C-alpha cells in the first residue's frame, strides 16, 4: 500500500511535471507569438494589397478620413492593445462598449473599416483580423494623402471585450496636463519622445469646438480664457468658429491652413501657443518634450517622418493579442457568435 502509494505519487509527480512542461511550452509559445511583416503571406497573400487598393481607390475622394483613421488606430491601441475593441458595437443587452465613451463620440470612419473588411472577407473569409485592418488602413490612408509611411507588422487578433470605462481611463482627454500625458502614454510603453512624435499627428484633421471651448470661455470657472492659449488666436476662434460655449457641432482645423498636409507646422503652432488643446500646450511644460519639439523643428520633414514611423510602429505593437488568443471577427462591429 505504501509502495503503491509512493509509486502512484511518483507517477503523478512525473505527469504533473510533464504537464507543467507542456503548459509552460504553450505559455511561452503564446508569449512569443509576435507580429511579423506580411503575416498573411500564405494565408491570404493578396490581403494587404486588397486593403491598400481599396484605400487608394476611395480615400482620394474623402481625404479627411485619413485623419479619422489614424486617430481610430490610436484609440484602439490605447485600450487593451490594438485588438479592434474600438469597433465593437454596444449590445442591446446593455454592454456599453468603447465606441460610446466620450472620446469616441467624435471618431469617424467605422463604415469605411466595414467596407474594407468586406472586401478582404470576399478574398479570404475569416483570416484577416479587424485589428490588422485598422492598423493597415491607418497607414495606407496617411500615405495616400501624402504623409509618412511606417511599418505595419501584422498578426494581431481581435479582442472579445470592449468596455466604455476603459476608454475613459486610458485615452487622454484634451484637458490633460503634462503628467496625465506622461502617465497614460507610459502605461502603453510609450515614452516622452513618442508622446511628442505621436501628438504630431495633430498636423492633420479637425476638432469639434466642444473639445477645447473651455479654453475660450470658462477656463477656471469664472468666465475666463486659458492664459496659455495665444489671445489673438483665441479671439479669432471665438469670433469666427466657436461662437458659443455650447457649440458641439462646428469643426475647426487643428493646424490652420495646412490641415491636409502632414508637416511640422503643428509643432510651430504649439510653440506659438496655438496648439488647440491643453494637451498640445502641455508639451511645452516639460524640458524633455520641449527639447524634442525644438529638435524636430530644426530638422527636416524627412527626419520627422522617419521618427514618427518608429513611434507609430511601437504604438501598433503594444499589448497586442496574438497566437490563438482572441479571434478573427467576421464582422468588425460584433464578436463572432
Ligand atoms: C496626446 C494626447 C492626445 C489627445 C489629448 C488628443 C485629443 C484629440 C482630440 C480632443 C481631438 C478632436 C476630437 C474632436 O473634437 O473631433 C483629436 C483629433 C485628432 N487626433 Fe488626437 N489626441 C492625442 C493624441 C493623438 C495621437 C497619438 C494621434 C495619432 C497618432 C492623434 C491623432 C488625431 C487626429 C488625426 C485627429 C483629427 C481627427 C479627425 O479629423 O477626425 N491624436 N485628438
Ligand atoms: C493589455 O491587454 C489586456 C487584454 O487584452 C488588458 O487586460 C490589459 O489591461 C492591457 N494592459 C495594458 C497595460 O493596457
Ligand atoms: C458584455 O458584458 C459581459 C458581461 O459583463 C461580458 O462578459 C462581455 O465580454 C461583454 N462583451 C463585450 C463585447 O465587451
Ligand atoms: C494634472 O491633472 C491631474 C488631474 O487630472 C491633477 O490631479 C494633477 O494635480 C495635475 N498635475 C499638475 C502638475 O498640475
Ligand atoms: C463657468 O463655470 C462656472 C462653474 O462651472 C459656472 O458656474 C458658470 O456659470 C460658467 N460661466 C459661463 C459664462 O459659462
Ligand atoms: C453640447 O453637449 C453638452 C454635453 O455633451 C450638452 O449639455 C449641451 O446641451 C450641448 N449643446 C448643444 C447646443 O447641443
Ligand atoms: C504650464 O506651466 C505653467 C506654469 O509654468 C502653467 O501656468 C500652465 O498651466 C501649464 N500648462 C499646462 C498646459 O500644463
Ligand atoms: C453597429 O452599429 C452601427 C451604428 O452605430 C450600425 O450602423 C451597424 O450596422 C452595426 N453593426 C452591426 C454588425 O450590428
Ligand atoms: C460612432 C459611434 O458609435 N458613435 C456613438 C457614440 O455614442 C453615442 C451615444 O453615446 C451614439 O449615439 C453614437 O452612435
Amino acid at each position: 500500500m505504501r509502495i503503491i502509494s509512493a509509486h502512484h505519487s511518483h507517477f503523478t509527480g512525473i505527469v504533473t511535471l510533464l504537464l507543467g512542461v507542456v503548459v509552460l511550452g504553450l505559455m511561452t509559445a503564446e508569449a512569443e507569438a509576435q507580429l511579423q511583416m506580411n503575416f498573411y503571406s500564405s494565408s491570404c497573400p493578396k490581403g494587404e494589397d486588397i486593403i491598400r487598393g481599396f484605400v487608394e481607390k476611395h480615400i482620394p475622394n474623402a481625404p479627411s478620413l485619413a485623419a479619422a483613421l489614424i486617430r481610430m488606430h490610436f484609440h484602439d491601441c490605447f485600450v487593451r492593445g490594438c485588438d479592434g475593441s474600438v469597433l465593437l458595437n454596444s449590445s442591446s443587452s446593455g454592454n456599453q462598449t468603447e465606441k460610446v465613451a466620450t472620446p469616441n463620440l467624435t471618431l469617424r470612419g467605422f463604415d469605411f473599416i466595414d467596407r474594407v473588411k468586406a472586401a478582404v472577407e470576399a478574398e479570404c473569409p475569416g483570416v484577416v483580423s479587424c485589428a490588422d485592418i485598422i492598423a493597415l488602413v491607418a497607414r495606407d490612408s496617411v500615405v495616400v494623402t501624402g504623409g509618412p509611411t511606417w511599418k505595419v507588422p501584422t498578426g494581431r487578433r481581435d479582442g472579445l471585450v470592449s468596455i466604455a470605462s476603459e476608454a475613459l481611463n486610458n485615452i487622454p482627454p484634451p484637458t490633460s496636463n503634462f503628467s496625465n500625458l506622461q502617465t497614460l502614454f507610459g502605461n502603453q510603453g510609450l515614452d516622452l519622445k513618442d508622446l511628442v512624435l505621436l501628438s504630431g499627428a495633430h498636423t492633420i484633421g479637425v476638432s469639434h469646438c466642444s473639445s477645447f471651448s473651455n479654453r475660450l470661455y470658462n477656463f477656471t470657472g469664472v468666465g475666463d480664457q486659458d492664459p496659455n492659449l495665444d489671445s489673438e488666436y483665441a479671439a479669432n476662434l471665438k469670433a469666427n468658429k466657436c461662437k458659443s460655449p455650447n457649440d458641439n457641432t462646428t469643426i475647426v482645423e487643428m493646424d490652420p491652413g495646412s490641415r491636409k498636409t502632414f508637416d511640422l507646422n503643428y509643432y510651430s503652432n504649439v510653440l506659438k501657443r496655438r496648439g488647440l488643446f491643453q494637451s498640445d500646450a502641455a508639451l511645452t511644460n516639460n524640458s524633455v518634450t520641449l527639447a524634442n519639439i525644438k529638435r524636430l523643428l530644426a530638422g527636416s520633414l524627412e527626419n520627422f517622418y522617419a521618427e514618427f514611423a518608429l513611434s507609430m510602429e511601437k504604438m501598433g505593437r503594444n499589448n497586442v493579442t496574438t497566437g490563438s488568443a482572441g479571434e478573427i471577427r467576421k464582422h468588425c462591429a460584433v464578436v463572432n457568435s
Side-chain angles (χ1 to χ4, degrees):
M1 183 65 188
R2 258 191 77 205
I3 291 172
I4 290 172
S5 166
H7 215 94
H8 188 80
S9 71
H10 188 64
F11 177 75
T12 313
I14 288 177
V15 168
T16 310
L17 187 77
L18 283 176
L19 270 177
V21 168
V22 169
V23 168
L24 199 73
L26 283 175
M27 282 170 65
T28 313
E30 193 73 19
E32 279 175 0
Q34 279 187 356
L35 302 184
Q36 60 192 72
M37 293 306 289
N38 246 318
F39 178 82
Y40 301 107
S41 58
S42 53
S43 57
C44 186
K46 290 188 194 154
E48 294 195 15
D49 288 344
I50 291 172
I51 294 170
R52 191 174 54 249
F54 197 95
V55 165
E56 283 171 352
K57 184 166 177 203
H58 296 286
I59 290 290
N61 301 325
S64 87
L65 269 185
L69 292 163
I70 191 176
R71 181 168 182 240
M72 184 187 289
H73 182 39
F74 156 53
H75 282 214
D76 188 30
C77 293
F78 264 54
V79 189
R80 296 185 167 264
C82 323
D83 69 343
S85 54
V86 70
L87 301 173
L88 290 174
N89 279 358
S90 298
S91 71
S92 47
S93 61
N95 275 49
Q96 295 282 295
T97 56
E98 291 167 33
K99 254 188 189 181
V100 301
T102 310
N104 286 335
L105 297 182
T106 49
L107 285 180
R108 308 180 285 136
F110 291 106
D111 52 331
F112 190 79
I113 296 289
D114 286 345
R115 286 159 62 206
V116 175
K117 173 68 171 174
V120 177
E121 286 294 292
E123 172 75 15
C124 352
V127 174
V128 181
S129 69
C130 297
D132 278 339
I133 289 176
I134 301 182
L136 291 163
V137 163
R139 192 265 318 271
D140 293 346
S141 352
V142 167
V143 169
V144 163
T145 52
T149 189
W150 59 90
K151 281 195 192 130
V152 180
T154 42
R156 294 170 189 78
R157 309 259 305 168
D158 295 323
L160 308 176
V161 176
S162 176
I163 304 172
S165 61
E166 291 187 347
L168 277 180
N169 294 336
N170 290 290
I171 294 171
T175 51
S176 297
N177 59 29
F178 174 77
S179 61
N180 300 149
L181 293 175
Q182 182 172 34
T183 304
L184 292 173
F185 275 67
N187 289 348
Q188 306 298 329
L190 298 168
D191 62 22
L192 294 181
K193 189 177 166 192
D194 299 314
L195 167 62
V196 170
L197 285 158
L198 294 172
S199 296
H202 287 173
T203 178
I204 55 170
V206 294
S207 167
H208 291 77
C209 289
S210 40
S211 293
F212 59 88
S213 56
N214 67 317
R215 303 185 79 194
L216 303 177
Y217 289 102
N218 205 357
F219 191 59
T220 64
V222 295
D224 54 338
Q225 209 165 286
D226 182 350
N228 295 308
L229 179 63
D230 175 63
S231 56
E232 211 175 296
Y233 186 42
N236 189 298
L237 286 167
K238 283 159 87 165
N240 302 310
K241 299 278 184 187
C242 310
K243 298 180 186 170
S244 129
N246 304 315
D247 180 342
N248 295 347
T249 50
T250 305
I251 55 171
V252 176
E253 43 191 354
M254 295 193 290
D255 180 1
S258 82
R259 77 166 160 99
K260 294 178 181 168
T261 321
F262 212 110
D263 54 21
L264 286 156
N265 272 1
Y266 163 78
Y267 296 113
S268 318
N269 293 336
V270 168
L271 289 191
K272 286 187 255 174
R273 302 192 308 138
R274 292 181 170 213
L276 212 44
F277 309 131
Q278 284 154 268
S279 62
D280 298 320
L283 299 179
T284 64
N285 264 37
N286 168 270
S287 59
V288 175
T289 49
L290 181 61
N292 269 288
I293 292 178
K294 290 180 176 166
R295 188 178 58 75
L296 289 167
L297 276 171
S300 62
L301 186 63
E302 290 66 33
N303 176 67
F304 170 43
Y305 281 13
E307 291 193 35
F308 183 79
L310 295 179
S311 290
M312 283 302 296
E313 188 184 339
K314 195 169 164 187
M315 181 181 86
R317 283 179 182 275
N318 182 51
N319 200 16
V320 288
T321 302
T322 55
S324 55
E327 64 178 12
I328 304 298
R329 263 178 235 152
K330 293 194 182 72
H331 295 284
C332 290
V334 287
V335 168
N336 294 343
S337 48

